[in-house]
Amino acid sequence: MSVRGDISTSSLPSPSLDSSRFRSPSISFDVSKLFPEEKLGWSGYVEWEKYPDRKTMARQILNAHKEEFTPIPGLPCPEFQFVPLPDTNPILIGYRWKEYHELLGLKNIVDFSWETVQKEKPDLIHLLDFPYNGETTSEQLLQGKITDNMFHFVRNHGGVPDIEEDVFELEIGGLVTTPAKLSLKDLKDPDKFPQVEVTVTLQCSGTRRIEQIREYPGDGDELINAPWGEGAIGTAVYRGVPLKKVLKHACGGVLPECKHLEFIGADTYFKKNNVFNYAVSVPWRKVRHNEEVILAWEMNGEPLPKIHGYPLRMIVTGYIGARSCKWVYRINALAEPSMGPVQAQEYLYYTSQIGKQNAKYSNGFSIQQMPVSSAIISPKDKDVIVHEGTITLRGWAYSGGGNWVERVEVSPDGGSVWYAVDQDNLTEKHYHAWRLWKIDIPVDAEGWLEFCVRTWDSSNNTEPTFVRSAWNWDLHVTSSCHRIKLYSINKKRQATKERLKLLAAHGVGVTPLSQPAEFSLEDDKDYLATMRKYPREPVD
């Protein structure tokens, strides 16, 4: 469960994109001709980066109507960092992002994206309806080491394009010996490019952000900083070709000046009323590691789902999920990192002294490799556990940058005493994937107890003890020890055993915990006998 509360998609209203729920900015001319879909078979894709005049026109239109956009926060957009999250499904609505698309004549992208969610991700926790952010539930996470495609989390930054494989083309340019254009058929030809299969955990840098929000709110961001719980992580087996091999065989290699590779996706992205295609980059030194950056077309033995980047996406192992660009259609070899806003202005890690009063794009460092982290997935926070001296906990543990999980430890007392998970109760090691774990913790104490988990990776890295140590203005990388509170009821204690028997005789259980008993807890005879034996006041 997420610390947001016991939210399940089955118990909430059906998702809806009722346009009456957000204001539609007025516009007096047809924008469809200004921002066309210029490639046949590429529905939902608009090229922005090659047309500066097109971007200028879009910015002018957005600026002319900015007073009409839904305020963030403000009705109907709730403030969700200082008050409880809405008990709705989807939990949050991307009013502003929808309005941007509709104003530019791109409402079809919004509609197709939600249709895709309903088809491919109906059972996730719908954190944000557009651009879609969907979180994996506790039950789905624990089904196995490999996350089913239907249950793998989604963090999209724009709408879902609908691109036909037969007409897809990948462009590679910039600081390469020879620019190239490749079809998916070319990329899939094993005689041209060696194929690989890699087991990879992808994790959003916002995983467990809700823990920071609950204690120390931070930046809200124009594109809502989704209040992720523990389910913004998933593991799959991807098939594709190493980017290093494609650059070598199709382009004759990169030029000496090349230091970074930029990936551009077919989705439309907005920042401060400017319009972009999604763009991120990774260092060339990362790409040089043969199987650490791949062009992937297959996920768990099936073609990529549309919502995960069909027909082609990047998989960047060990890095934050944002670098694994979906719907990638252009790669540029650069001398410096991408100036795309997702790379240059977002996913920045600030010190705790940086905030609304002084944050700049240049005084935080770019988040690339994911640190070691872990989470308790079962039981859920605030659960009541009736047991006989042991409590079973389950969860995940992960470290990026090619480090693997070596040890997982769980504490039943908030972090003083730690018990290591037995190696037999950890899934197998991978260079670029998580390990699921299970442990039976000895517990004698009753009442509220705080359990926490920490992980040690192959470089001897571990996690900060408390969330305060991990707090940063953009609320990224909640890598502190994950904590839950459980109410312990130990049946091995005689008094507890007798009380449980009494509750059962009256046809009630121990939950809800706060519900008072509707019968006397002790008869007068027993009460007086105890009080006379152990009087509450001294005799003299």
Side-chain angles (χ1 to χ4, degrees), residues 261-326:
L261 277 301
E262 179 185 51
F263 313 133
I264 299 181
D267 43 337
T268 292
Y269 190 73
F270 297 90
K271 185 75 173 181
K272 310 297 185 187
N273 283 347
N274 290 289
V275 190
F276 308 84
N277 292 109
Y278 184 86
V280 291
S281 63
V282 300
W284 164 235
R285 57 181 168 76
K286 173 69 173 176
V287 177
R288 287 202 307 264
H289 293 281
N290 195 33
E291 295 179 6
E292 293 195 2
V293 181
I294 67 173
L295 290 153
W297 58 77
E298 190 176 282
M299 180 178 181
N300 291 334
E302 300 175 356
L304 285 169
K306 290 184 185 296
I307 207 164
H308 282 290
Y310 177 88
L312 189 70
R313 71 170 298 171
M314 302 306 304
I315 294 295
V316 182
T317 65
Y319 273 38
I320 62 172
R323 307 301 180 229
S324 292
C325 176
K326 304 182 187 77

Side-chain angles (χ1 to χ4, degrees), residues 76-127:
C77 290
E79 165 58 69
F80 66 88
Q81 292 205 40
F82 287 91
V83 298
L85 285 168
D87 187 18
T88 55
N89 187 26
I91 297 172
L92 298 173
I93 305 296
Y95 295 103
R96 183 79 73 96
W97 233 245
K98 293 180 187 179
E99 291 164 1
Y100 293 163
H101 279 75
E102 185 167 350
L103 186 59
L104 299 183
L106 306 177
K107 187 177 184 297
N108 62 303
I109 297 176
V110 178
D111 296 337
F112 179 76
S113 295
W114 188 249
E115 292 170 7
T116 305
V117 171
Q118 292 175 309
K119 179 179 179 180
E120 296 184 352
K121 302 289 180 176
D123 299 321
L124 295 192
I125 300 170
H126 305 312
L127 272 190

